Amino acid sequence: MSTFNIINEEKINKTLEEAKNLSKEEILNIIEKSKDCFGLEVDEAAALLQVEDDEILEKMFESAKYIKEKIYGNRIVMFAPLYTSNECTNNCLYCGFRVTNKELHRRTLCPSEVVEEAKAIEKQGHKRILLVCGEDPRVTNIDHIVGSVDAIYKNVDIRRINVNCAPLSVEDFKKLKNIGIGTYQIFQETYHRETYKKMHVSGAKSDYDYRLTAIERAFEAGIDDVGIGVLLGLYDYKFDVLSTLIHSDYLDKKYSVGPHTISIPRLRPAIGSALEEIPYPLSDKDLKKVVTVYRLAVPYTGIILSTRESAALRDELLELGVSQMSAGSKTNPGGYEEDDKSADQFVTSDERSLDEILKVVCKQGHLPSFCTACYRNNRTGEAFMELAKDAHIHEFCQPNAILTFKENLVNVASEETRKMGEEMLKVEIEKIDDEKIKEETIKRLKRIEKGEKDLYF
Ligand code: SAM
Ligand code: SF4
């Protein structure tokens, strides 16, 4: 099978339709099965997507919390997006950067400006950046992206740069690989062809198949760490979530490694958007269900949450299986230096600073992590999945979360966050099973107190 025909609309609709016929007992059995952490079949995920009953939903939420805790512990990896350009030749009706939005202040950062932005992000305490840009072959081409990544790595203590950009050729993906990116991320937006066509009226992005096959070209170029997702709200979320799972399963079977992450962006208002309303709005309850279904169906795939969601909902979604979240984000190029709202891609909802978010995350019992060790130790792709599936990844993640959070507490955090964080670290150290690693972690914490940085396993 090739990527071109993995999304069979008729079959997906049939699966979703049949999934409505399951008894309560059958659904409860699927939920019970999910706790083994081996994931779910597509038809089982479809059955869970059809659940509307609050009592059953509650059971799904409980299972998501259980799996999250078992695989990821209470850790949450933090990152911030860096927009290098809002120039774009596409016309995605929902996006503020679309070519026909004449109101938008267009700006492309040169490498030194990118470095200034990255420094502002690093000053907040971040170590991981998601680099984002519009698609304009004259401006945001591969040289712009590679130049930006290179400038940050050379000049700023940012230790992992993930990239969300337009689909590339194999040759250009190789350049991304060589510059040492973390994850290559691309959202199909919607897997529903007709809706895709309606939403992407002109420009290179109107080619559904070129976008769908991007991940395969990335793999061919040697990038084995990829992220996928849909823009929730463009089309029926049940269809799109199931399609995302089918895409993930296809990649897993063909390349022995599925996506490292799935993102859950929900459509936000954007200045200059051509959409008067959200075509298929989904409620907060629906979004909680989406996170839960992903957590149960692909337990080893990270789930990424952005500041598109409100503070209150973000706090709830953390409990259900989100493993990475952005904080203190700006969606305009240069936004960390000067926040020009008329250059935004969309309106963010959670405006809290990283420091404020760290406090809430700690208060909820989650351990913030700024860890970037895996890809620097070549624990990516298949190697990462093997470790994750054997649960060995815990041995590295827990001490690394502790060490990187400590670095933040010592160097950047406010007094209040520091107190709260130090209390938390005392508890978290005790959770390290291996006595030798525990001992070494305690030694390294002392070294960080004395000013050392970037210590990891
Ligand atoms: N231009 C590239 C592309 O479209 O793939 C990469 C960057 S684009 C800025 C990143 C993502 O932002 C898109 O894939 C889309 O899902 C999301 N996005 C665009 N408009 C949005 C909106 N109004 N609300 C929420 N997310 C949006
Ligand atoms: Fe351009 Fe991406 Fe926005 Fe589409 S979503 S208009 S491609 S920046």
Side-chain angles (χ1 to χ4, degrees):
M1 192 189 274
S2 90
T3 320
F4 291 113
N5 50 21
I6 52 167
I7 303 301
N8 179 332
E9 284 176 21
E10 206 178 309
K11 202 167 155 195
I12 294 171
N13 286 330
K14 192 163 168 249
T15 308
L16 281 168
E17 216 35 56
E18 285 172 0
K20 288 182 185 163
N21 302 330
L22 267 67
S23 67
K24 184 173 173 182
E25 199 191 341
E26 285 170 312
I27 293 176
L28 291 178
N29 283 342
I30 296 173
I31 300 173
E32 210 40 49
K33 175 189 164 185
S34 71
K35 291 184 185 155
D36 294 339
C37 297
F38 292 126
L40 297 177
E41 301 297 331
V42 168
D43 55 343
E44 294 171 327
L48 298 188
L49 280 167
Q50 295 294 15
V51 172
E52 300 294 343
D53 178 304
D54 283 337
E55 197 192 318
I56 305 181
L57 270 178
E58 209 41 60
K59 294 244 179 295
M60 286 165 59
F61 296 159
E62 278 166 24
S63 180
K65 286 178 197 171
Y66 170 82
I67 296 169
K68 156 96 207 285
E69 182 63 30
K70 194 165 163 193
I71 297 178
Y72 297 87
N74 58 344
R75 296 178 297 278
I76 293 286
V77 171
M78 314 298 297
F79 73 96
L82 193 169
Y83 281 69
T84 61
S85 174
N86 58 10
E87 310 259 5
C88 195
T89 47
N90 289 317
N91 201 351
C92 313
L93 298 187
Y94 46 83
C95 179
F97 293 177
R98 67 200 185 92
V99 64
T100 47
N101 178 9
K102 300 295 173 207
E103 304 301 314
L104 189 83
H105 291 174
R106 303 272 170 188
R107 186 173 175 198
T108 299
L109 306 183
C110 67
S112 64
E113 290 169 325
V114 171
V115 166
E116 287 314 306
E117 281 289 277
K119 280 185 181 163
I121 292 173
E122 201 263 337
K123 214 166 141 196
Q124 291 188 31
H126 283 291
K127 295 294 166 206
R128 185 186 279 245
I129 274 179
L130 172 65
L131 198 126
V132 186
C133 60
E135 179 178 17
D136 182 337
R138 291 158 308 172
V139 189
T140 63
N141 49 31
I142 189 67
D143 295 338
H144 164 81
I145 298 170
V146 166
S148 301
V149 172
D150 191 39
I152 299 172
Y153 278 145
K154 282 192 178 133
N155 296 290
V156 192
D157 186 16
I158 289 291
R159 301 168 189 166
R160 177 181 176 126
I161 302 174
N162 300 332
V163 173
N164 182 324
C165 69
L168 302 172
S169 63
V170 175
E171 197 187 318
D172 285 352
F173 272 130
K174 280 186 183 156
K175 294 181 186 165
L176 266 194
K177 162 85 185 160
N178 291 341
I179 201 71
I181 65 156
T183 309
Y184 169 67
Q185 194 183 73
I186 184 167
F187 307 149
Q188 186 62 26
E189 320 296 14
T190 173
Y191 286 89
H192 188 252
R193 272 183 195 270
E194 199 186 311
T195 307
Y196 188 93
K197 201 169 162 201
K198 254 195 263 168
M199 292 293 157
H200 306 98
V201 286
S202 61
K205 191 164 165 183
S206 52
D207 188 339
Y208 175 106
D209 288 315
Y210 190 67
R211 195 164 182 92
L212 187 64
T213 48
I215 298 288
E216 304 222 40
R217 289 192 299 282
F219 276 141
E220 207 182 317
I223 295 175
D224 59 2
D225 195 327
V226 295
I228 61 174
V230 284
L231 186 52
L232 297 160
L234 286 184
Y235 186 61
D236 173 26
Y237 75 88
K238 294 176 186 172
F239 179 95
D240 271 334
V241 167
L242 208 60
S243 302
T244 307
L245 290 172
I246 290 169
H247 193 182
S248 163
D249 186 53
Y250 165 77
L251 295 171
D252 197 8
K253 292 208 169 96
K254 185 159 177 188
Y255 298 95
S256 307
V257 47
H260 186 67
T261 54
I262 293 181
S263 297
I264 48 162
R266 186 162 54 159
L267 194 54
R268 294 281 306 154
I271 301 171
S273 159
L275 296 181
E276 276 169 19
E277 52 188 28
I278 309 275
Y280 283 81
L282 69 164
S283 65
D284 288 357
K285 185 170 145 187
D286 294 332
L287 188 62
K288 281 165 63 178
K289 181 164 64 174
V290 168
V291 170
T292 302
V293 170
Y294 281 142
R295 186 70 302 138
L296 270 53
V298 281
Y300 296 97
T301 304
I303 300 178
I304 304 187
L305 178 65
S306 74
T307 48
R308 289 172 180 87
E309 299 307 331
S310 70
L313 182 63
R314 266 156 64 99
D315 299 344
E316 272 192 80
L317 295 172
L318 281 193
E319 301 276 344
L320 293 177
V322 162
S323 54
Q324 292 187 30
M325 72 192 279
S326 54
S329 306
K330 303 289 176 209
T331 67
N332 55 316
Y336 294 94
E337 293 262 275
E338 182 201 343
D339 197 7
D340 176 3
K341 292 283 179 215
S342 49
D344 276 358
Q345 187 199 12
F346 55 82
V347 185
T348 53
S349 184
D350 186 346
E351 302 275 350
R352 295 174 295 179
S353 69
L354 173 63
D355 195 71
E356 280 172 287
I357 289 180
L358 290 181
K359 259 183 284 188
V360 176
V361 166
C362 285
K363 218 179 256 169
Q364 283 189 320
H366 297 288
L367 172 63
S369 173
F370 296 89
C371 180
T372 55
C374 273
Y375 104 104
R376 292 158 88 203
N377 278 337
N378 292 324
R379 295 193 294 260
T380 61
E382 212 175 332
F384 173 86
M385 280 300 167
E386 268 171 26
L387 276 171
K389 286 182 183 169
D390 287 346
H392 285 308
I393 202 77
H394 264 314
E395 288 167 21
F396 305 108
C397 296
Q398 182 70 3
N400 284 340
I402 291 172
L403 293 171
T404 52
F405 186 34
K406 175 76 174 182
E407 201 181 312
N408 181 288
L409 296 178
V410 170
N411 297 297
V412 222
S414 64
E415 195 49 41
E416 204 185 330
T417 306
R418 191 172 310 149
K419 273 193 198 140
M420 211 179 250
E422 291 292 354
E423 283 309 310
M424 171 153 229
L425 289 188
K426 283 184 203 154
V427 178
E428 295 301 322
I429 290 164
E430 292 312 315
K431 292 186 189 167
I432 302 174
D433 293 331
D434 186 309
E435 282 306 319
K436 271 199 187 134
I437 295 186
K438 192 196 277 185
E439 216 174 283
E440 182 56 29
T441 305
I442 294 170
K443 275 191 203 152
R444 291 185 186 190
L445 284 172
K446 296 219 168 79
R447 284 165 60 192
I448 292 171
E449 274 171 15
K450 287 190 184 134
E452 273 192 71
K453 288 186 173 174
D454 203 14
L455 302 179
Y456 59 92
F457 291 93

